[in-house]
Amino acid sequence: YEISLGLVGSEMCIRDRLMINLAEREGWKFAVASFENPPDLHICKMAEKRSKKSIFDERNKMSKQELQDSLKFVDDHFLFLEQKGGDLTTIDNILDRLAQACLRGIKGVVIDPYNYIVQDAGSDDNEHQFINQLLTKLCSFAKAYQIHIWMVAHPAKMQTNTDGFTAVPKGMNISGSAAWFAKADLGVTVHRVGDISEIHCWKCRFKWIGQVGMTRLKYDRQTGLYSERNEVDYKSFKSINNFHTMSKRFKLSLIHISEPTRPRLISYA
């Protein structure tokens, strides 16, 4: 499974783009449990990323046919897990629904974010034990069903230096347990520096998947696309991590990006 860290907006945009690209290029189907993103709103965002046009902006508005095509693409490739009953969400609750989704041929799962998942009633595990058990269940489920799971987790509050810059959070900076780093097969952080999104890969268990490193992406609001940004003007801001020097040593190739829309719903209720 993969653990993703980052700013809420930028992490979500890049994550959705990766899903769209995999759906377009490889025919992947996804189940999405996004607790902070209502399905109807998420569908609209995915439709825009799929068509590379806006639903509302008259300057680059998609046609009725383009909207229908985008919605059909999302309906064909995405299942949204929605909780309607008002009950708290447990990991067993999610895995039960995912087992049903796997019968429809999904290849990927996104759970966003971790902090909406609660312990089972009556459990007396501390936070470290709870997280360790949760990640063990996810790893076992991913192997059993031959799927890829993205788990989104937000880091603990990072210290900001006197120049106003914040260190890049990594696996050991996720509060609660070192298991976040230990059990992840792939660990990625989305970190914003000025108007640039930096993608830091801080763990890659298998060498044929990729390598530890960093790349920079520039976001185009009109098309919803990301492009690789090799040159950045760092004179306007300093970095405690010396990003310019690191960029010469590390190179991480990232999939180009795009998004979908209308999903079938699997209720938690």
Side-chain angles (χ1 to χ4, degrees), residues 157-168 191 237-243:
K157 184 176 178 61
M158 302 294 292
Q159 295 297 317
T160 301
N161 70 359
T162 55
D163 293 325
F165 293 100
T166 305
V168 179
H191 185 69
F237 52 86
K238 300 175 183 177
S239 170
I240 59 176
N241 291 319
N242 196 0
F243 292 132

Side-chain angles (χ1 to χ4, degrees), residues 17-190:
R17 273 302 179 188
L18 289 174
M19 288 195 294
I20 293 242
N21 287 346
L22 285 170
E24 289 180 335
R25 299 178 181 186
E26 306 296 335
W28 276 37
K29 295 182 179 181
F30 291 87
V32 181
S34 184
F35 305 111
E36 296 179 335
N37 217 19
D40 51 354
L41 178 61
H42 203 167
I43 291 169
C44 290
K45 293 178 180 179
M46 300 285 265
E48 290 182 329
K49 290 184 174 70
R50 163 63 176 173
S51 67
K52 304 177 182 64
K53 293 185 178 181
S54 173
I55 293 178
F56 306 106
D57 191 342
E58 294 293 339
R59 296 170 297 178
N60 188 35
K61 190 172 183 178
M62 67 180 77
S63 66
K64 183 176 180 180
Q65 184 61 51
E66 288 172 329
L67 176 60
Q68 291 176 347
D69 291 343
S70 295
L71 292 175
K72 184 179 186 305
F73 178 85
V74 178
D75 186 54
D76 290 341
H77 294 89
F78 292 85
L79 300 171
F80 284 70
L81 310 184
E82 184 181 27
Q83 181 162 347
K84 293 182 176 180
D87 297 330
L88 297 177
T89 302
T90 66
I91 188 61
D92 290 336
N93 176 305
I94 293 174
L95 294 180
D96 285 345
R97 274 63 182 182
L98 290 180
Q100 299 174 38
C102 286
L103 297 177
R104 302 189 184 186
I106 66 166
K107 294 290 291 181
V109 172
V110 170
I111 302 174
D112 176 22
Y114 145 76
N115 54 292
Y116 277 79
I117 303 173
V118 301
Q119 297 188 51
D120 293 319
S123 173
D124 58 357
D125 290 341
N126 60 36
E127 186 176 17
H128 168 74
Q129 292 170 327
F130 167 64
I131 292 173
N132 187 62
Q133 185 182 67
L134 180 150
L135 297 179
T136 298
K137 288 183 177 181
L138 285 178
C139 291
S140 297
F141 187 91
K143 292 176 182 177
Y145 286 91
Q146 292 294 294
I147 61 173
H148 187 101
I149 298 177
W150 283 265
M151 170 66 83
V152 179
H154 301 308
K157 184 176 178 61
M158 302 294 292
Q159 295 297 317
T160 301
N161 70 359
T162 55
D163 293 325
F165 293 100
T166 305
V168 179
K170 299 183 180 179
M172 299 301 289
N173 299 119
I174 309 175
S175 61
S177 176
W180 289 112
F181 180 88
K183 294 201 171 182
D185 293 318
L186 183 65
V188 176
T189 296
V190 180

Side-chain angles (χ1 to χ4, degrees), residues 12 118 164 257:
M12 180 179 67
V118 301
I257 287 167

